[in-house]
Amino acid sequence: MELLAFGKTGWGDELFIATLMTLAVSITAILIGFLFALIFTPLKLSKNKILNLIANCYTTVIRGVPELLVIYLFFFGGSGAVMYVASIFGYNDYIEINAFITGSFAIGIISGAYSTEVFRGAIQSIDKGQFEASKVLGLKKPIHFFKVIMPQMLRLAIPNLSNVWQITLKDTSLISVTGLVEIMRQSYIAAGSTRDPLFFYSFAAVLYLLLTFLSMKFINRLEIKYSKGY
Amino acid sequence: MNIIKKFSLGLLISLFLTISANADKIRIGTEGAYPPWNSKDASGKLIGFEVELAWTLCRYIGQQCEIVEQDWDGMIPALIMRKFDAIMAGMSITAERQKAISFSQGYADEVASLAVMKGSDLEGITTSEGINLTKKTGAVKKDLKTLTSALAGKTVCTQTATIHQNFLESGDVGKINVRTYKTQDEVNLDLASGRCDVALAAAVAFTDYAEKSGKPVVLVGPTFSGGAFGNGVGVGIRKDDTELLKAFNKAIDKARKNGDISRIATKWFGFDASM
Amino acid sequence: MISSFPKLLNATLITLKLLSVSLIVGLILGILFSIMRINKNLIINKLAYGYSYFFRGTPLLVQIFIIYFGLGQLEFIRSSFLWIFLKEPYWCAIIAFSLNTGAYTSEILRSAFETIKPGLIEAGKSLGIQSKIIFFKIQIPIAIRQSLPAYGNEIILMLKGTSLASTVTLMDLTGVAKYIISTTFKPIEVFIVAGGIYLFLTFLIHNLIKFLEKKYSF
C-alpha cells in the first residue's frame, strides 16, 4: 500500500493526476470526434458520389488500421503537417504541438469514424415520413435539420455512442507512446521504477474499470432523460 | 449546438496557445528508463547521469534548456522531426546512426557486458576481460568463438534499436535467438523471471538493477567495445544544426576540463566513466 | 523501403497466425460464457458477467501487460506448469487476445440468443425434440447467423488488437514495422505501408463476412 502513498515516496498522487489526464483526453477526443462526425455524416448521406467517397475513405481507413499506427503517424507526422501548412502562409519556424493536442486529435479522429457510423445509422433509421412532413409544413432545411432530425438522431444514437465512448476511453491507453502521462504511461513508469508490474498494471485495470463504471452510470441517466416522452 | 460552438472556439484558442515556437530554449530528449544513465524517481522527475550532465552543459552553453521524455525506439525520428534539438540518452556514436544524425564528441564510455542469473551454466565461460571488435585479433576471434558456442540455443535479450542488438545480429556470435524489448527495465524483468537466458546491455544497467532489486544478476564473459559498439556516448544533433553541435562540443570540453563529467559520472555510476 | 516489403509480408503471416488462433480459442470461450450468461443460476450468471465486464471494461494493452509482465513476476506461477505457456511471449499474447475476444464474443452471442423467438423453441418442443438437440440444432445455428455482422466487426477489432503483440517482443506486422524504422529512421513511410497491409486484411475479412451473410441468409 505504501506504493500508492501520496507525496514524494509513493505513486498515489501521480496516478490520481494521470487518471484525470485520461479523463481529459477522452472527453476532448470524443468531442473532436463529434466535430468530425458532424462534417462526415452529411457527406456519407449525400447523394454526391465524390463526397460520399471521401467520407467512406475516412471511416474505412480509420476503422481498418490499428489505433497504434494512427497514433504513431500523428506523433511523427503531426508537427510536420502543421508546419507544412504554416509554411504555405509564410511561417517557417518550428511549431510545437503538445502531447495533449497530438493525443486528443489522434484518438479524436478514430473516435470520429465510429461516431460518424453511429450518426449515419441513427439518421437512416428515422422514419422517412418525418422528412416529408417537414417539406409539407414548408420548414426550411436548417430548421428541419436542427429541430426535427437532430433531437431524434441524438436519442437514437445515445446507446451506440456509449459504445464509442468506451472505445475512446480505452484507446487513450495507447497514446502512452507519445509521452503523455495518462494512466497507462504512469503505471508503466511506476512499474519500471519499482519493479512491481503486477501491482501497477492491476491497479491501472481497476482505474479503467472505475472510469467505465462511472461513465456508464452517467450515460444511462442521459438515456433515461432523453427517452422521456416516447 | 451551443456546446459544440463553445468547444470548437476553445479548441482553436488552445491550439494557438500551444503553437509556440521555442526558438530560445534548447530541448534535450532523453529516455528516462535507462538507469543510472537516465530514469525517473517516484515523484516523476527525470534523474540520472545524463540529466545532471545536461543541465551542466546548458549552463556552459549559456542557454535555457528543457528536458523532454521520449521512448527509445522513436528517439532518432523524433530528433529529425524536430520534437527536440539534442539527444542525451546513453546513445553510442555509431557509423549507422551517423548516416542519419551528427554526434558531438563522446562524453562517456559505455561498457557493454552479458548478464545471467546466478546458477546459469553460462557462468562457467572463460574469456579475456574485455574485447575490442575494431581489431579482430586472434584472441578476439577465439573469444567470439567461445561465445558463439555458449550462446547457441539460448534466448538472448536486449533493448531494441541499440548497439547491443546490432552486435547480436551482426553474426559475430553466430545465428542466435535474439529477443528485443522496448526498455531496459523490461529486459531486466524478463532476465529475472527466466524468460531470457542471458541479456546484453551496459554493464552498469545490470549492476544498478542487481543492487536495487536484490536479484542475483551476474555479469559474465568479456566486456565489449569497438566495432558495432561504437565510440563512446555522445550528444545526438540534427545534421543541419552545426551551430548547436559546435556549442555542445565546446561545453563538453569545458565540463571535462573542470572535472564536472567525471564528478557526475562517479556520483551515478560509482566509477569514472567519463571520456 | 521496397527492400523492407518482403519482411513486412512475412510478419503479416505472424499477425494472421495470432489472429486465427486467438479467434478460435476466443470463439470457444465466447460460446461457453454466453451459455453461462443465459443460465438461470445466479452464481454462474454473475461469474460470466464479471468476466465479460472486466475484459470489456479495460484496455487490451493493460490486459496483455498484466498477463506478460505481471504474472511473470510471481514465483509460484513460475514454478507451476502454467509457466510452460506464460514463459513464451507468443502464448501470453494468445491468452490475452483470446480472453479479450472471448468476452466480446460472449456478449454478441448472448444478445443473439435473446433475440431468438421463443416460438421457435416451443415449436421444437411440441414436435417432441429433445431440448439438447433444440439447443445445438436450432438455437446455436440461429444465434451464429444472427451474430455474423457483429462478429465480423469483432474480427476486425481483433486484427487491429494483434498489433499490441509488438509490446511483448513479438515480431508481428507492427513489431517488424517498428524494427525497420529503428534502422531506416523513416517512420511515416513504413507506417503507411504497414497500415496499407492492415487495411487490405480488413477489406478481405469484411468481404468474407458479407459473403457468409449472403450464403446463410434465411
Side-chain angles (χ1 to χ4, degrees):
Chain A
M1 265 304 115
E2 68 233 49
L3 286 174
L4 286 180
F6 277 62
K8 273 210 156 144
T9 50
W11 296 86
D13 44 346
E14 281 81 13
L15 281 165
F16 179 70
I17 291 167
T19 308
L20 293 183
M21 182 57 94
T22 291
L23 206 57
V25 176
S26 306
I27 293 171
T28 316
I30 200 156
L31 290 178
I32 292 175
F34 287 165
L35 223 58
F36 272 87
L38 223 57
I39 298 166
F40 284 102
T41 312
L43 299 191
K44 268 228 146 168
L45 296 167
S46 155
K47 292 196 179 73
N48 184 322
K49 281 236 167 85
I50 297 170
L51 296 181
N52 231 311
L53 188 73
I54 294 172
N56 281 335
C57 271
Y58 166 63
T59 53
T60 314
V61 169
I62 294 294
R63 292 185 310 147
V65 173
E67 295 80 358
L68 203 57
L69 288 190
V70 176
I71 291 164
Y72 272 123
L73 271 175
F74 251 74
F75 180 63
F76 287 117
S79 285
V82 171
M83 276 192 283
Y84 178 76
V85 173
S87 73
I88 294 172
F89 295 102
Y91 187 84
N92 284 317
D93 273 343
Y94 174 74
I95 296 170
E96 153 113 39
I97 303 174
N98 70 19
F100 183 82
I101 295 288
T102 312
S104 305
F105 252 94
I107 303 288
I109 281 186
I110 298 167
S111 172
Y114 289 98
S115 294
T116 304
E117 290 294 338
V118 170
F119 287 142
R120 180 190 57 87
I123 289 182
Q124 280 176 341
S125 62
I126 293 175
D127 194 352
K128 288 279 173 303
Q130 307 256 353
F131 294 88
E132 279 152 30
S134 289
K135 254 189 206 163
V136 172
L137 288 172
L139 288 182
K140 282 198 186 113
K141 263 206 165 168
I143 294 178
H144 161 72
F145 184 73
F146 288 117
K147 296 282 170 188
V148 181
I149 301 301
M150 271 285 256
Q152 298 191 69
M153 181 193 83
L154 282 179
R155 185 184 62 87
L156 286 166
I158 284 179
N160 286 323
L161 283 182
S162 81
N163 273 338
V164 177
W165 164 252
Q166 285 223 25
I167 291 175
T168 307
L169 181 65
K170 287 187 286 175
D171 277 351
T172 60
S173 68
L174 300 174
I175 55 171
S176 54
V177 295
T178 65
L180 186 74
V181 185
E182 39 63 73
I183 295 176
M184 199 57 214
R185 179 94 191 172
Q186 192 58 263
S187 311
Y188 194 80
I189 295 165
S193 174
T194 59
R195 290 164 293 278
D196 194 350
L198 182 64
F199 176 78
F200 282 105
Y201 294 142
S202 305
F203 192 70
V206 171
L207 289 175
Y208 281 109
L209 278 179
L210 205 69
L211 285 180
T212 33
F213 177 76
L214 292 178
S215 54
M216 290 326 273
K217 279 251 140 107
F218 178 73
I219 291 168
N220 282 343
R221 266 211 206 147
L222 276 185
E223 224 172 309
I224 293 165
K225 198 177 147 196
Y226 279 101
S227 50
K228 263 183 197 161
Y230 284 93
Chain B
M1 248 351 251
N2 211 1
I3 296 173
I4 294 171
K5 254 188 213 158
K6 266 189 195 157
F7 171 72
S8 37
L9 195 71
L11 192 77
L12 280 176
I13 292 170
S14 64
L15 252 178
F16 279 108
L17 284 182
T18 48
I19 299 177
S20 57
N22 282 325
D24 49 333
K25 254 189 191 174
I26 304 174
R27 287 160 311 151
I28 301 173
T30 197
E31 188 197 359
Y34 200 60
W37 291 82
N38 53 73
S39 62
K40 279 183 131 179
D41 68 4
S43 60
K45 220 177 72 187
L46 285 163
I47 53 165
F49 164 68
E50 279 167 322
V51 177
E52 205 172 324
L53 182 63
W55 294 124
T56 310
L57 293 181
C58 287
R59 231 182 21 249
Y60 284 125
I61 294 173
Q63 230 173 312
Q64 286 230 310
C65 279
E66 187 188 346
I67 299 187
V68 184
E69 206 185 323
Q70 165 65 44
D71 283 345
W72 173 259
D73 52 5
M75 196 65 85
I76 290 177
L79 176 74
I80 296 171
M81 304 276 169
R82 296 164 73 178
K83 295 231 168 248
F84 39 78
D85 311 305
I87 298 173
M88 286 182 76
M91 189 176 275
S92 297
I93 305 163
T94 66
E96 197 189 21
R97 288 176 182 145
Q98 274 169 326
K99 281 181 206 152
I101 58 171
S102 325
F103 278 98
S104 73
Q105 55 173 312
Y107 54 76
D109 216 358
E110 197 192 56
V111 182
S113 170
L114 292 164
V116 294
M117 296 307 283
K118 213 175 165 64
S120 158
D121 54 343
L122 279 174
E123 270 185 281
I125 56 171
T126 47
T127 57
S128 39
E129 285 265 311
I131 54 176
N132 186 328
L133 294 161
T134 312
K135 318 177 269 290
K136 280 196 181 149
T137 58
V140 171
K141 276 185 187 152
K142 193 178 145 248
D143 281 343
L144 286 177
K145 227 176 177 179
T146 314
L147 287 171
T148 305
S149 55
L151 294 177
K154 297 268 194 285
T155 301
V156 190
C157 298
T158 193
Q159 192 181 2
T160 187
T162 55
I163 46 173
H164 313 111
Q165 183 186 0
N166 290 348
F167 167 69
L168 292 171
E169 289 175 350
S170 67
D172 276 354
V173 283
K175 255 190 102 65
I176 48 175
N177 181 15
V178 182
R179 197 178 281 171
T180 57
Y181 293 77
K182 201 170 143 110
T183 63
Q184 180 63 28
D185 285 338
E186 292 180 353
V187 175
N188 294 336
L189 277 176
D190 265 7
L191 180 65
S193 79
R195 284 202 186 102
C196 304
D197 298 313
V198 49
L200 178 65
V204 284
F206 293 123
T207 47
D208 180 82
Y209 174 68
E211 191 187 310
K212 284 188 190 143
S213 67
K215 294 263 165 39
V217 178
V218 272
L219 300 177
V220 294
T223 56
F224 301 93
S225 60
F229 289 92
N231 309 300
V233 173
V235 184
I237 289 161
R238 272 186 302 279
K239 280 202 160 155
D240 54 4
D241 223 348
T242 44
E243 288 293 307
L244 190 65
L245 181 66
K246 268 187 221 150
F248 264 107
N249 274 331
K250 257 199 203 151
I252 292 170
D253 277 335
K254 276 188 202 159
R256 185 182 296 126
K257 221 176 92 203
N258 293 349
D260 293 315
I261 305 183
S262 18
R263 178 178 49 80
I264 300 170
T266 311
K267 174 180 163 191
W268 289 96
F269 297 132
F271 61 93
D272 185 2
S274 69
M275 66 179 272
Chain C
M1 264 320 296
I2 294 165
S3 62
S4 61
F5 204 66
K7 271 191 209 154
L8 286 171
L9 284 184
N10 234 340
T12 308
L13 290 181
I14 296 182
T15 290
L16 286 175
K17 203 168 134 196
L18 282 168
L19 177 67
S20 46
V21 177
S22 308
L23 283 176
I24 292 168
V25 182
L27 187 62
I28 297 169
L29 285 174
I31 292 174
L32 223 73
F33 279 96
S34 66
I35 293 171
M36 284 166 74
R37 278 301 292 282
I38 51 173
N39 194 299
K40 292 201 178 62
N41 184 322
L42 208 65
I43 297 171
I44 291 177
N45 198 310
K46 286 279 165 210
L47 209 71
Y49 180 69
Y51 159 73
S52 105
Y53 197 92
F54 177 82
F55 282 97
R56 291 180 310 128
T58 53
L60 179 56
L61 186 62
V62 175
Q63 293 159 18
I64 196 168
F65 273 15
I66 290 177
I67 290 169
Y68 188 84
F69 292 112
L71 295 183
Q73 184 194 337
L74 298 174
E75 186 58 51
F76 70 87
I77 289 206
R78 289 210 300 271
S79 50
S80 76
F81 76 97
L82 286 172
W83 191 239
I84 301 167
F85 296 105
L86 290 171
K87 192 177 180 211
E88 297 302 323
Y90 177 76
W91 285 111
C92 286
I94 293 278
I95 292 169
F97 296 158
S98 304
L99 286 170
N100 186 278
T101 182
Y104 285 95
T105 310
S106 78
E107 286 299 318
I108 293 169
L109 288 174
R110 177 191 60 88
S111 66
F113 276 127
E114 282 171 357
T115 54
I116 296 175
K117 293 200 178 78
L120 273 174
I121 300 163
E122 276 156 30
K125 272 186 194 155
S126 64
L127 287 172
I129 304 172
Q130 278 180 316
S131 56
K132 232 190 207 162
I133 293 174
I134 292 179
F135 187 73
F136 284 106
K137 294 277 168 181
I138 299 176
Q139 279 175 281
I140 286 195
I142 293 178
I144 287 176
R145 170 61 191 88
Q146 290 269 25
S147 5
L148 261 182
Y151 190 63
N153 276 337
E154 172 55 23
I155 296 177
I156 291 169
L157 286 178
M158 208 53 235
L159 167 69
K160 297 196 286 172
T162 57
S163 68
L164 297 183
S166 60
T167 60
V168 290
T169 79
L170 284 174
M171 288 312 230
D172 72 321
L173 188 45
T174 305
V176 169
K178 283 203 257 177
Y179 174 80
I180 294 169
I181 289 162
S182 75
T183 53
T184 61
F185 310 118
K186 290 199 170 69
I188 294 175
E189 292 88 329
V190 179
F191 280 137
I192 286 176
V193 175
I197 297 177
Y198 276 110
L199 206 56
F200 179 68
L201 294 178
T202 313
F203 174 78
L204 287 184
I205 295 168
H206 183 80
N207 283 303
L208 178 74
I209 294 291
K210 273 262 164 81
F211 169 76
L212 287 178
E213 270 178 54
K214 257 201 193 132
K215 196 172 168 197
Y216 293 104
S217 62
F218 304 113

